[in-house]
Amino acid sequence: MPTLYVVATPIGNLGDMTPRAIQTLQSVSLIAAEDTRVTQKLLSAFDIHTPLTSCHEHNERSKAAQIVERMVTEDIDVAVTTDAGTPCISDPGSILTAEAIRAGIEVVAVPGPTAMASALSVSGMDVTEFTFFGFLPRQKNELKEKLLDMAMRSKIGVVHESPHRVVDLLRTVQDVLPNTLVSASCDLTKKYEKTVRGTVSAVLAQLEGNPKAEKGEYCIALQWAAEDIPQPQAQQSALSLEAQLFDGLVRGLSLREAVDELVSAGARRNAVKAASLTVKRMLE
């Protein structure tokens, strides 16, 4: 029976390539890579000559079935890699892995570097409990709602962010959850690796004052402050969302204004919108 190996690769420093990862990439018959050009450079550095095939976010759904069929038909082992770090974690690979599992193929992890664990390890925070959220929404209102939801559901949130958006992200965090503690790591394991720690306002000031802040990928740990976290809707009021919307209408608000009022008070926008549709149908 063939085996699919999920192989972690360096996130910036080739010295972090493990002997097991090298041996695995040498021994398999095929490597499913996020970007074959990036992975080819890695293979060349370690004198590995295994054939490559692309398997990225735009073609993985169709490519996964083809790779698994080949594994079964030819009885070959395959490794899946991404450009950096561990596949399947905010990176391609999960569809191929699921397809292999459905086909009865053994899936084996070859562990190694991951930005999330590295960023947490140097944050100085108590990371006995945390939640990984990957990349956050880009639209500002959605981002605000997501941050509030994260703060209510986790002690520490870990996110990825691009260098061109990191300042905007922290500005939004400062606006919504101003007492948040931040540990922002950039270019982890690389020559110019840097981690900035402190309150969100202090970290934001450092990044805004750094002309090189828009270089390198960021992995950010966010530790919420209790005073910033809104109470769950159930604790804010024993009334249903529909009842609270009716209350707003009685007080002279439009339905849209009543929706905005509840969202500002901490209610989830999608839930309030659903309740508003119910109220609208009742009024009609």
Side-chain angles (χ1 to χ4, degrees):
M1 176 61 71
T3 300
L4 176 67
Y5 294 94
V6 181
V7 182
T9 56
I11 58 176
N13 190 321
L14 286 178
D16 294 332
M17 188 72 167
T18 68
R20 186 180 173 209
I22 295 172
Q23 189 277 328
T24 300
L25 295 180
Q26 288 173 331
S27 66
V28 297
S29 299
L30 182 68
I31 298 171
E34 178 181 7
D35 187 327
T36 55
R37 296 165 299 181
V38 173
T39 301
Q40 185 57 61
K41 292 178 182 178
L42 177 70
L43 299 186
S44 297
F46 292 96
D47 195 29
I48 299 171
H49 304 284
T50 305
L52 293 165
T53 187
S54 67
C55 187
H56 49 72
E57 62 175 325
H58 301 297
N59 74 352
E60 185 180 4
R61 192 163 297 281
S62 60
K63 200 69 175 285
Q66 299 173 25
I67 294 171
V68 168
E69 182 180 4
R70 183 177 172 187
M71 291 178 72
V72 173
T73 302
E74 302 178 22
D75 192 23
I76 60 172
D77 295 337
V78 172
V80 56
T81 65
T82 52
D83 293 349
T86 304
C88 307
I89 302 177
S90 281
D91 264 331
S94 58
I95 297 175
L96 175 57
T97 299
E99 189 74 24
I101 292 170
R102 280 193 290 270
I105 293 172
E106 184 176 9
V107 177
V108 174
V110 181
T114 169
M116 171 183 63
S118 300
L120 283 169
S121 71
V122 298
S123 68
M125 299 175 181
D126 178 3
V127 292
T128 52
E129 182 179 332
F130 66 91
T131 305
F132 178 62
F133 293 96
F135 289 95
L136 299 181
R138 295 193 173 193
Q139 206 279 331
K140 193 167 184 178
N141 287 336
E142 289 184 25
L143 176 57
K144 287 183 175 181
E145 183 177 349
K146 180 66 174 179
L147 288 169
L148 288 170
D149 182 61
M150 289 164 60
M152 289 188 285
R153 294 197 292 119
S154 63
K155 291 185 177 180
I156 294 174
V158 186
V159 302
H160 289 318
E161 190 52 275
S162 72
H164 304 294
R165 294 181 47 79
V166 66
V167 169
D168 287 339
L169 169 61
L170 292 183
R171 284 174 179 165
T172 305
V173 173
Q174 181 178 243
D175 182 36
V176 178
L177 299 156
N179 295 295
T180 300
L181 294 180
V182 176
S183 178
S185 295
C186 177
D187 277 336
L188 283 162
T189 77
K190 296 181 182 178
K191 182 177 180 180
Y192 297 106
E193 172 183 341
K194 185 175 181 62
T195 296
V196 183
R197 309 172 186 85
T199 62
V200 61
S201 58
V203 172
L204 178 58
Q206 289 192 59
L207 295 186
E208 287 177 328
N210 179 6
K212 296 183 179 180
E214 290 193 356
K215 296 183 182 295
E217 299 296 320
Y218 283 83
C219 189
I220 304 172
L222 302 164
Q223 183 173 306
W224 321 113
E227 59 265 37
D228 287 342
I229 301 175
Q231 294 298 309
Q233 185 63 30
Q235 296 180 26
Q236 290 180 5
S237 174
L239 297 175
S240 67
L241 290 175
E242 290 82 359
Q244 292 179 73
L245 289 172
F246 271 115
D247 177 70
L249 296 177
V250 170
R251 289 185 284 111
L253 300 178
S254 67
L255 184 56
R256 180 173 181 177
E257 289 170 337
V259 166
D260 291 340
E261 182 181 69
L262 283 182
V263 171
S264 298
R268 298 187 65 176
R269 181 175 293 276
N270 289 341
V272 177
K273 282 186 176 180
S276 71
L277 292 176
T278 301
V279 170
K280 188 174 182 180
R281 286 195 295 269
M282 293 172 70
L283 292 174
E284 291 173 346

